[in-house]
Amino acid sequence: MDRLIDGFGRRFRYLRLSVTEVCNFRCTYCLPDGYRKTAGPAFLGVDEIGALVSTFQRLGIEKVRLTGGEPTVRKDIGQIIARVAEVPGIAKVAMTTNGWNLHRHVADWRAAGLTNLNVSIDTLDRDGFTRLTGHDRLHQVVAGLDQALAIGVPTVKVNAVLLRDSLENGFAEFAEFVRSRPVAVRFIELMRTADNAAYFTDQHVSGERLKTWLGQEGWSPRPRASDDGPATEYEHPDFAGRIGLIAPYGAGFCDGCNRLRVTAQGLLRLCLFGQGGVNLRDLLTGEAEASHLLAARIAQALTGKASGHELARGQAGDTRNLAQFGG
């Protein structure tokens, strides 16, 4: 069954599922004061996640990314990975993490079924990393990434938010990082949220800076796969890895949208920078009738998906910070 097509003909095969809003880092662009608990329902349990993913798969989803917050703060993250991986038809089980305990657990997560790993590393400068995240853990994070490569995690990527303070020499340092590592480093333009207006004004840098640098250094764009995220990736014959750009302020960014989001409390978000969401949790019982109703609710919700976000107009919807819905 393939029913996840919106009114603009976009086909959705990729689900980004937040499993928690909690994060143990204090990144300056997201949670500079750390995570603060707010009132609300508990996060989805393993069985609810299983029911959710099973229904999405029957609707055509082939790839699931577990996000947060920081998904690995959940003690049952290994069970969650395994539950998603056992759903027939889910070809890729991905996770985005800050890497704080990656070196301790990545082998277990790989054994549970993890196929794709994204590690957030915004700078390769130790002092800069500490200032950005509030933790002097760059060495451990890189060690965990290298361990993921060593044990054969099929796809390993790095996410780096493009910031004015870390721009100088940053591109060249990350290029050297992927000279021998088969890793894609994707620079993400800083996005405006409800809580970071002043920071955004001070630190936002256009992705055109990276594209210019890549062109000057001989990097060429590579084709995108149907279930890829929004990054345009570049390759170079002298480097084992790749460098990419996610530019949400670029023209046509939303035209190829292929992903849907579900929050840690079970709300379907049609856009990261939209308003509200469609409650799915009451139908996550695992029963056949509930699953049928859930599929119908998801398909109906897609009829309301807008053509694109309004970031260029300074409108971030009701997204307070990127930890809220997984970025």
Side-chain angles (χ1 to χ4, degrees), residues 14 63 92 116 157 186 222-231 233 256-259:
Y14 177 12
K63 176 180 177 180
K92 296 180 181 179
N116 295 57
K157 298 181 179 181
R186 292 104 50 79
R222 68 193 297 266
R224 296 179 67 249
S226 63
D227 65 349
D228 277 351
E233 292 188 353
C257 183
N258 65 349
R259 58 207 175 279

Side-chain angles (χ1 to χ4, degrees), residues 4 15-17 19 44-66 80-93 262 280 284 291 294 298:
L4 294 180
L15 174 66
R16 295 180 62 97
L17 173 60
V19 297
L44 295 177
V46 176
D47 290 341
E48 290 176 305
I49 289 171
L52 179 80
V53 172
S54 293
T55 299
F56 267 103
Q57 190 284 319
R58 289 197 298 275
L59 290 170
I61 290 294
E62 300 169 350
K63 176 180 177 180
V64 176
R65 176 171 300 281
L66 304 175
I80 293 172
I81 292 170
R83 188 60 174 270
V84 174
E86 71 184 12
V87 175
I90 297 298
K92 296 180 181 179
V93 181
V262 173
L280 306 180
L284 299 181
S291 180
L294 177 62
I298 294 168

Side-chain angles (χ1 to χ4, degrees), residues 118-201:
N118 285 28
V119 184
S120 296
I121 307 176
D122 296 310
T123 176
L124 292 171
D125 174 75
R126 179 176 175 178
D127 291 339
F129 184 91
T130 303
R131 287 193 300 271
L132 276 170
T133 67
H135 293 272
D136 182 12
R137 300 185 68 91
L138 177 61
H139 175 75
Q140 292 94 325
V141 172
V142 173
L145 181 146
D146 285 337
Q147 186 174 350
L149 291 172
I151 66 173
V153 175
T155 301
V156 180
K157 298 181 179 181
V158 170
N159 293 341
V161 176
L162 190 56
L163 301 172
R164 189 177 306 278
D165 280 351
S166 56
L167 188 64
E168 187 175 0
N169 299 323
F171 299 153
E173 290 174 354
F174 274 108
E176 284 305 311
F177 187 79
V178 303
R179 183 177 290 277
S180 60
R181 290 181 176 93
V183 169
V185 173
R186 292 104 50 79
F187 287 92
I188 306 169
E189 278 188 341
L190 179 65
M191 291 172 272
R192 169 77 181 273
T193 63
D195 290 350
N196 76 350
Y199 188 92
F200 176 86
T201 299

Side-chain angles (χ1 to χ4, degrees), residues 240-308:
R242 304 181 301 278
I243 294 179
L245 172 65
I246 298 176
Y249 290 88
F253 177 78
C254 298
D255 295 350
C257 183
N258 65 349
R259 58 207 175 279
L260 297 172
R261 291 176 170 84
V262 173
T263 74
Q265 292 89 4
L267 288 180
L268 172 65
R269 296 276 298 192
L270 299 177
C271 177
L272 175 60
F273 296 103
Q275 294 277 355
V278 178
N279 180 39
L280 306 180
R281 192 166 201 173
D282 60 311
L283 296 175
L284 299 181
T285 65
E287 298 175 358
E289 182 178 0
S291 180
H292 176 76
L293 294 172
L294 177 62
R297 186 179 294 179
I298 294 168
Q300 176 61 33
L302 270 183
T303 64
K305 183 170 172 63
S307 61

